[in-house]
Amino acid sequence: LKWYVMLFQDRYILQALYYTLIIAVVATTVSTLVGTVSALGIYRMRSKLKRPYLLLNTIPVLVPDIVMGITLMSLFIFAGMKMGLTTIIIAHITFCIPYVILAVLPRFNRLPENIFEAALDLGATPRQAFWKVLFPEILPGVTSGALIAFTLSIDDFVISFFTAGNGVSNLSITIYSMAKAGINPKINALSTIMFG
């Protein structure tokens, strides 16, 4: 167990873990909210308008990570943003939103056609109709979208590498930089804890 002890004494790895969790939690929260609202908007569109939005939504899913990373890096440089924690979070939110939409939209499509109007007819306010009727029905999709976003954010290396800048390093960047000198067994201990 000495590697576990050494792991918790290594400030560099613990700081990378801290950044990784902060990025993942913020990106998951924002992308889940935006993705759910976007899925609702797409669901309520007329069928002719849905197709272009669904096509736009699949582009970030199909584009290779390296292209997305370079594009986001170029955008941040063009906008004059300093690379750091904010740019990584924005990048992670950007590539997580389409996955959340893809997880939530099928739940909306399974709803009975007039369920929202039926709740309003039975005396619910629009807010009550959403939270007490619609949201419980789409909750499995929202949960799976959030889990996918969290997993993708923790796992991402390429986009993080291009949008990180100096001073901010998540676990994937830290492990990559350590791999040049050989992987330390502390990383194995950390992987075991994270997997658990």
Side-chain angles (χ1 to χ4, degrees):
L1 299 177
K2 73 174 185 175
W3 297 111
Y4 290 91
V5 174
M6 292 177 71
L7 168 67
F8 288 107
Q9 293 172 348
D10 190 329
R11 291 182 62 198
Y12 184 61
I13 293 175
L14 292 178
Q15 183 179 26
L17 176 62
Y18 170 77
Y19 281 132
T20 301
L21 292 176
I22 291 294
I23 293 165
V25 168
V26 172
T28 300
T29 304
V30 174
S31 63
T32 302
L33 290 172
V34 173
T36 302
V37 171
S38 300
L40 175 62
I42 292 170
Y43 168 70
R44 301 199 35 94
M45 285 180 180
R46 282 180 269 144
S47 59
K48 286 184 180 179
L49 293 174
K50 280 185 186 182
R51 184 165 293 209
Y53 282 100
L54 291 173
L55 181 64
L56 279 174
N57 185 60
T58 56
I59 290 173
V61 175
L62 299 175
V63 169
D65 283 351
I66 192 160
V67 173
M68 186 109 168
I70 292 171
T71 303
L72 288 168
M73 178 186 70
S74 301
L75 175 69
F76 296 143
I77 291 170
F78 180 75
M81 295 179 71
K82 186 180 178 199
M83 297 290 188
L85 186 61
T86 304
T87 54
I88 292 179
I89 290 173
I90 292 170
H92 281 230
I93 290 169
T94 302
F95 78 79
C96 286
I97 288 174
Y99 290 96
V100 175
I101 293 173
L102 289 174
V104 175
L105 194 56
R107 297 302 297 191
F108 277 117
N109 291 333
R110 288 186 191 166
L111 291 174
E113 196 170 314
N114 297 322
I115 192 169
F116 188 76
E117 288 79 10
L120 295 176
D121 286 345
L122 293 170
T125 64
R127 182 177 292 194
Q128 289 172 330
F130 179 79
W131 287 109
K132 294 192 176 198
V133 177
L134 284 182
F135 190 71
E137 292 292 324
I138 65 166
L139 186 59
V142 173
T143 304
S144 64
L147 290 173
I148 290 169
F150 186 78
T151 305
L152 287 172
S153 182
I154 284 183
D155 178 58
D156 180 70
F157 166 71
V158 176
I159 295 172
S160 299
F161 184 77
F162 282 105
T163 59
N166 293 330
V168 177
S169 176
N170 64 5
L171 272 176
S172 58
I173 296 171
T174 302
I175 292 169
Y176 175 76
S177 64
M178 292 173 78
K180 295 173 185 173
I183 296 292
N184 193 306
K186 291 184 278 190
I187 298 299
N188 297 343
L190 178 63
S191 298
T192 304
I193 291 170
M194 289 181 68
F195 185 78

